[in-house]
Amino acid sequence: MRPTALITGASRGLGAAIARELAPTHDLLLGGRSSDSLAPIVAELPGATPWPVDVTDYDAVADAVAGIDSLNVLVHNAGVADIGTIADSSVEQWRYNLEGNVIAVAELTRLLLPALRTANGHVVLINSGAGLRANPGWGPYAASKFALRAFGDALRLEEPSLRVTSVHPGRIDTDMQRALIADEGRDYNPDEFLTPQSVAQAVRNAIETPRDAHPVEIVVRPIAR
């Protein structure tokens, strides 16, 4: 029987790239906000199953995980980014970042712990360089990513039967990145950024690491051009 992997935020960008990397070896549950958004990647990967749910709708999440009894891999790729200075930030902005990047991750993981324990599973947290260093204008987002790193550290110690890997990529060429660059008032140059495929391969390598090793933290940076 093939192992099963659930990937959130799998409809496009990095999540879709991770799905493509794992498809040859895993049965996939592909998470996204709607069936329509997931349709292209599900059609591309025969045998993949759509898992349409808003991960911040916790009643819907509880219903969606009810039938998952064993889970080998959980990749938390879904996330949000609303940047701005602390002086100009709002309570809503802080809540938005923390809800999407930490609370939703914690609750989905909590609900799936029995399934992950059954499989001695692997939790992969797609974090950010902002989870290692906070830059000016990125306070609310960086705070959420620092919190995500702390969540991973605690989970790793509390659940010794699981492997927990925090992945800290540099900036990736995605639609989200285009929006962030626009917020920063700069021209977009994709050559400045990592490709989703490069980061997805790092995720796959972590998952394929033999069980006698625990890939705790992976940092991936674009090569300076």
Side-chain angles (χ1 to χ4, degrees):
M1 181 179 297
R2 287 172 23 126
T4 300
L6 169 57
I7 306 166
T8 67
S11 63
R12 58 182 181 166
L14 178 57
I18 294 170
R20 294 183 186 104
E21 287 289 330
L22 297 186
T25 53
H26 289 73
D27 292 328
L28 299 179
L29 296 171
L30 301 183
R33 286 184 175 271
S34 69
S35 296
D36 287 346
S37 68
L38 288 165
I41 188 66
V42 170
E44 179 185 337
L45 303 175
T49 301
W51 195 75
V53 62
D54 179 349
V55 292
T56 63
D57 182 342
Y58 302 119
D59 289 338
V61 170
D63 290 340
V65 304
I68 303 176
D69 299 320
S70 180
L71 184 64
N72 302 90
V73 178
L74 172 58
V75 181
H76 286 289
N77 173 69
V80 298
D82 188 358
I83 63 173
T85 64
I86 292 170
D88 293 331
S89 63
S90 65
V91 169
E92 290 74 18
Q93 187 178 28
W94 285 91
R95 284 178 176 156
Y96 177 73
N97 281 287
L98 291 166
E99 186 85 32
N101 294 337
V102 186
I103 298 172
V105 170
E107 180 61 2
L108 178 56
T109 304
R110 184 187 72 81
L111 290 169
L112 285 171
L113 276 177
L116 287 162
R117 290 168 180 155
T118 295
N120 293 325
H122 194 157
V123 179
V124 179
L125 303 169
I126 303 300
N127 201 297
S128 166
L132 300 171
R133 184 183 67 183
N135 290 319
W138 288 72
Y141 176 75
S144 72
K145 290 299 190 177
F146 268 72
L148 180 62
R149 184 185 181 197
F151 169 78
D153 290 347
L155 181 66
R156 195 177 298 113
L157 295 173
E158 292 175 5
E159 300 289 336
S161 70
L162 307 184
R163 295 198 293 182
V164 181
T165 303
S166 289
V167 181
H168 296 266
R171 301 178 78 161
I172 307 170
D173 178 21
T174 62
D175 291 341
M176 179 183 286
Q177 195 64 243
R178 290 179 182 276
L180 290 171
I181 294 298
D183 286 343
E184 293 176 332
R186 298 197 287 122
D187 292 332
Y188 192 83
N189 178 5
D191 292 337
E192 295 179 11
F193 311 119
L194 294 161
T195 67
Q197 293 75 19
S198 294
V199 181
Q201 186 170 332
V203 171
R204 187 197 71 196
N205 289 342
I207 292 168
E208 292 180 348
T209 299
R211 288 294 307 188
D212 66 325
H214 192 153
V216 171
E217 193 167 271
I218 297 172
V219 179
V220 185
R221 293 286 179 268
I223 293 174
R225 299 180 187 274

